[in-house]
Amino acid sequence: HNQRISDNISEKVMDAIDGCIHLHDEWYHNMYQAGDVIHICSINGRYRTDSLPITLRTMGVDDDLVLILHPDSLITPTAISDTVGCLRRAVLKARYGSSGLTSKAALFGQMRHDLFEKCLMHKDFSAEFAKNQVPRILRDHAEQLIGAGLMNERESTAEIQRTLPNIRRFAMIY
């Protein structure tokens, strides 16, 4: 794409196969690069998207055109809606949880599940193996632990290891 500044309006022009796509307002500030795959959709079917040129604006109330960058990447609709108004909000939620903090119970549940999964994958349910896995699990979830205010490594280690008897009991039964 190339960039042009006209008298009053900033616009980014993306060269497409048969024409151009003009990006204005919030669309202008997105990071597009040569070779990016995009789809343009009219949410209500009000506009044709199969012919160029196309102009995307975010200021119009009845403009329902959206540009989808990298359409083959799977992301949740919630993550998409969270970017409206703040482009960084979706990234923050993905890293630190829905409210900026992570539920302690959910986080410990995830880490216990990770420990159980590692024991299953290695077919090793010994206390020694499980205890050796805990530091790695804590490192893998470090950002979430900080987000949940769980800064004491010893307490977090003890909380994860509390599930060891249940994991070993499962192994003996199954």
Side-chain angles (χ1 to χ4, degrees):
H1 64 267
N2 56 13
Q3 200 172 329
R4 288 189 296 200
I5 308 283
S6 44
D7 291 336
N8 296 343
I9 294 178
S10 294
E11 79 174 357
K12 214 178 254 187
V13 179
M14 298 176 72
D15 294 320
I17 295 172
D18 296 322
C20 295
I21 300 166
H22 301 269
L23 305 172
H24 295 271
D25 307 319
E26 289 181 19
W27 293 110
Y28 174 84
H29 298 288
N30 288 306
M31 299 296 177
Y32 308 105
Q33 297 178 352
D36 283 344
V37 176
I38 64 166
H39 286 188
I40 297 179
C41 302
S42 176
I43 296 171
N44 296 319
R46 196 176 318 168
Y47 299 100
R48 290 187 56 169
T49 58
D50 58 350
S51 63
L52 296 173
I54 294 176
T55 301
L56 279 83
R57 299 182 187 279
T58 56
M59 304 309 261
V61 174
D62 46 291
D63 189 359
D64 73 337
L65 289 172
V66 295
L67 184 144
I68 302 167
L69 179 64
H70 303 296
D72 296 329
S73 298
L74 297 176
I75 55 176
T76 65
T78 303
I80 295 168
S81 69
D82 285 343
T83 63
V84 176
C86 177
L87 298 175
R88 292 170 294 282
R89 186 182 308 156
V91 174
L92 292 171
K93 281 179 77 171
R95 293 183 89 170
Y96 297 115
S98 62
S99 65
L101 298 175
T102 303
S103 161
K104 292 177 185 180
L107 180 55
F108 280 128
Q110 177 64 50
M111 290 190 295
R112 287 181 189 130
H113 177 270
D114 290 352
L115 178 60
F116 180 65
E117 190 174 67
K118 287 182 184 296
C119 291
L120 276 174
M121 287 174 49
H122 290 90
K123 296 181 177 134
D124 188 347
F125 294 90
S126 68
E128 181 182 347
F129 175 81
K131 286 179 182 179
N132 288 334
Q133 299 307 307
V134 172
R136 172 70 185 247
I137 292 169
L138 289 173
R139 277 193 309 274
D140 291 347
H141 293 277
E143 288 178 352
Q144 294 155 316
L145 286 163
I146 292 168
L150 300 167
M151 309 294 231
N152 189 317
E153 186 176 346
R154 262 187 249 151
E155 288 177 18
S156 296
T157 298
E159 187 65 35
I160 296 169
Q161 289 179 348
R162 280 186 344 139
T163 196
L164 288 176
N166 293 335
I167 291 174
R168 298 192 74 206
R169 204 170 11 257
F170 174 87
M172 287 192 295
I173 295 171
Y174 300 101

